[in-house]
Amino acid sequence: MDKPRIIVGMATCGLAAGGKPVHEKAKEVAAQLGIDVEVRKTGCIGMCHREPLMDIIMPGRTRVCYSDVKAEDVPAILESHIKNGEVYKERLLGQFKPSSPDIQPYPDTQYYDELDYNKKQVKIVLKNCGFIDPTKIDEYTALGGYEGAKKALTAMTPEQIIDEVKKSGLRGRGGAGFPTGMKWQFCRNSPGNEKYIICNADEGDPGAFMDRSVIEGDPHAVLEGMLIGAFAIGATHGYIYCRAEYPLAVEHLNIAIEQAKEKGFLGTNIFGTGFDLDIIVKEGAGAFVCGEETALMNSIEGKRGMPNPRPPFPAQKGVWGKPSNINNVETWANVPQIITNGGDWYASFGTEKSKGTKVFALTGKINRTGLVEVPNGIPLSEIIYDIGGGIIGGKKFKAVQTGGPSGGCIPSSLVDTAVDYESLAALGSIVGSGGMVVMDEDTCMVDMARYFQAFCQDESCGKCTPCRVGTKRMLEILERIVAGKGREGDIELLLDLGSQVKITSLCGLGQTAPNPVITTIKYFRDEYEAHIKDKSCPSCSCPALIHFEVTPDACTKCGICVKNCPVSCITDGTGGKKGEKPAFILDEECVRCGVCFEKCPFDAIFKHSGGTRVDKVSAKVKKES
Amino acid sequence: MSVQELDFSRVDEIIKQTPNKKGALIPVLQKVQKFYGYVPIESIERIADGLHVYPADVYGVLTFYSQFKLKPRGEYIVRVCCGTACHVKGSDRIAEDLITKLKVAVGETTEDRRFTLEKVACVGACALAPVVIVNEDVHAKMTSDETRKMITSLQKGQKE
């Protein structure tokens, strides 16, 4: 590298945070300053809470990462870093460790890896995300890309590959956690000349975006993994089923496939071995159930994405009736490194039964949101507090939801639980695809259960009765509970229905749909009881059960609440210090929109439900952070 | 554009450009929707004929997947993300506000055909929740106020 290089994070999150203007500004400013630089883009490095991110590499120096960069910061950063050779401290996040002894680090500059967010992470799947330009295959191969595939295809037999994957202990990262090596073996052993491999990139769990980031940031890792898997299984056709909500991921995949074909990593006679593989991207059309393997295959065939009963399993009779092997994005992305570094190396991370690392999407009411890759078995508390930096505004941590609509809520009392397949299953939740939504004291757990049930009910394909009708009835019960119309016995009814739906549904959607309800009842039964018996919401969150009131002494009669109330249910409260009476909210006309609560500049409005009272002060803290 | 004015020759072209008809229904419908902005109900028989499937299959697929729309949509498609992270951070309120502001229900288009309001399950920008997506642009960490302001400026015809 002989020119300075500027790299801007431009995955979906980077773009949403404003990466594009930064990218444009960097080009513009470089031209103005008359400096010859290369301006590139990269994927998601996982620090979504600090986006937009901009890295600068000077020849012979370490890569430095700047965070929270706005277009107007760009001139100062470029001037200081590129022209004057000094790190611009105001937006500095950290520098990366030198990749060789010739690379000189900057003095008094923190290392990126030593930031609290990164210290406990182990990056295997996310190794390249945020480092390389995902639209340039050369950047992938420069870091050892396609070496694993070359080794597998030219120096290993399919059996040896499968043994290596078995030895690694890799388990399906899509949710169920089935051992990957065994799955490959089944498909390999299945009779038939025409076999298919499929990458499940239909990441439908709301609150999860690991697969999106991997595909957007490192699409070749997925292709390389599929190439290795296809060779081991004996498949010559591959599909990547990507959800339509991820346009950038689809774009990067298609670019990557074209480049891999040009380089001879896909197509015919790969690495001169006579092995052929073609991979095509199939775009989903918006149906959560298509994450289920048999439904996904129906969708690939152009049908309604409804699941089929198993057996026959896809390994026997999958897409187009042929033996098929389906793995999730993250599973595939692990494979090249398992082959390159060996199964034993991979198995050295994680626990006895859950090997390697897992990527989680850490979101919700947590200070540091983003993608984290941690060794399996790490205590949940380390993810929440050490990596995530605790709860926003210093509020109380209440629960964390893992596994999306198929998972459950883990209460704060169990925060020391090890995060691995077995431990989470023992609590009634699952690792799932890796969504981790953190909730604080203001989140109502009954409402969360209702939210997930509404999602599952909406996404139920309708093929089997328990799921189609069961989720609907459960939703109706939950809706009446949050509306303050819950009845004695509703909790028991939910548990009974939930267990029936679990046992009798056709596919994973229905079999896991009751999990959020069952776990919230298990750990937060008192909240359900408060809603049903006392008609109150202990988190002051369910609109039907809360009331807004004005503290007359704190009201300055500024009139802001009166002006903003959409239903004009606030009387008086105008005319400043001397005029009128303090504001008064007519409870029977109030629609509980909370606008007055948010707008009051003097913290004079509070909300209450049952015995709980929430004042504005804390709400303000929440907003600022 | 009223139905009479719609030119369906593009549908035939899309089918013609699809040499492998096996499993092509969903991609064809996606291309049709991309061109027309929705899948006109009148195009169903043409598509069925072209791909050698029953019109009922086409209709079945169209109504199964949430991506497909059978009605014309507005110039701006405003989608409120209702993923878990967005829900926890108050996307319900934003959706409610937009219903009031645009005076349409979720899934509906304003009379002047400028705005369509939709909910989306999750766009994967969870770390920046809550998000609102206008056409292709994802707007991060939105509040009700900011969303309203953004809509107002779009209503005034300013570039966002």
Side-chain angles (χ1 to χ4, degrees), chain A residues 33-110:
Chain A
L33 293 173
I35 39 180
D36 187 16
V37 292
E38 248 184 286
V39 183
R40 294 197 170 190
K41 53 185 186 176
T42 188
C44 173
I45 201 162
M47 288 195 104
C48 306
H49 59 289
R50 301 301 292 269
E51 293 276 6
L53 297 171
M54 181 174 81
D55 295 5
I56 301 179
I57 318 175
M58 297 299 285
R61 303 299 298 265
T62 48
R63 178 172 182 159
V64 176
C65 181
Y66 293 99
S67 69
D68 307 285
V69 179
K70 293 190 181 65
E72 54 263 36
D73 301 321
V74 176
I77 299 175
L78 265 53
E79 174 100 37
S80 164
H81 195 120
I82 299 181
K83 275 216 125 170
N84 305 332
E86 280 168 26
V87 168
Y88 184 74
K89 297 278 180 196
E90 266 106 297
R91 289 278 177 268
L92 175 72
L93 187 62
Q95 63 178 332
F96 293 94
K97 291 259 165 71
S99 52
S100 76
D102 320 329
I103 306 285
Q104 206 192 336
Y106 289 89
D108 309 320
T109 304
Q110 183 165 34

Side-chain angles (χ1 to χ4, degrees), chain A residues 146 149 153 195-198 222-240 257 260-261 264-271 273-280 332:
Chain A
Y146 288 103
L153 267 69
K195 292 181 185 176
Y196 287 84
I197 48 155
I198 301 164
V222 179
L223 295 182
E224 188 183 353
M226 289 179 77
L227 173 57
I228 296 167
F231 181 72
I233 290 160
T236 50
H237 304 284
Y239 287 111
I240 299 173
I257 289 173
K261 275 186 193 161
F265 301 141
L266 284 178
T268 50
N269 194 19
I270 300 165
F271 295 118
T273 56
F275 179 72
D276 305 340
L277 177 67
D278 71 86
I279 293 179
I280 47 176
W332 287 122

Side-chain angles (χ1 to χ4, degrees), chain B residues 42 87 119:
Chain B
E42 299 78 10
H87 176 78
K119 278 188 182 179

Side-chain angles (χ1 to χ4, degrees), chain B residues 46-134:
Chain B
R46 276 172 184 256
I47 295 168
D49 279 348
L51 295 177
H52 314 300
V53 293
Y54 292 108
D57 292 332
V58 180
Y59 191 75
V61 165
L62 274 175
T63 49
F64 184 83
Y65 295 98
S66 63
Q67 186 190 24
F68 296 122
K69 311 291 171 189
L70 289 160
K71 281 190 282 185
R73 294 194 287 170
E75 180 186 351
Y76 295 104
I77 296 162
V78 182
R79 296 185 293 163
V80 183
C81 182
C82 294
T84 319
C86 291
H87 176 78
V88 169
K89 289 201 169 176
S91 63
D92 272 5
R93 264 299 305 285
I94 294 177
E96 291 289 318
D97 274 353
L98 282 171
I99 292 170
T100 321
K101 173 93 185 162
L102 294 168
K103 301 190 186 69
V104 286
V106 172
E108 300 291 321
T109 302
T110 54
E111 259 176 41
D112 61 5
R113 278 280 177 82
R114 293 204 63 209
F115 294 91
T116 300
L117 180 61
E118 289 176 0
K119 278 188 182 179
V120 58
C122 181
V123 294
C126 318
L128 301 165
V131 300
V132 175
I133 306 99
V134 179

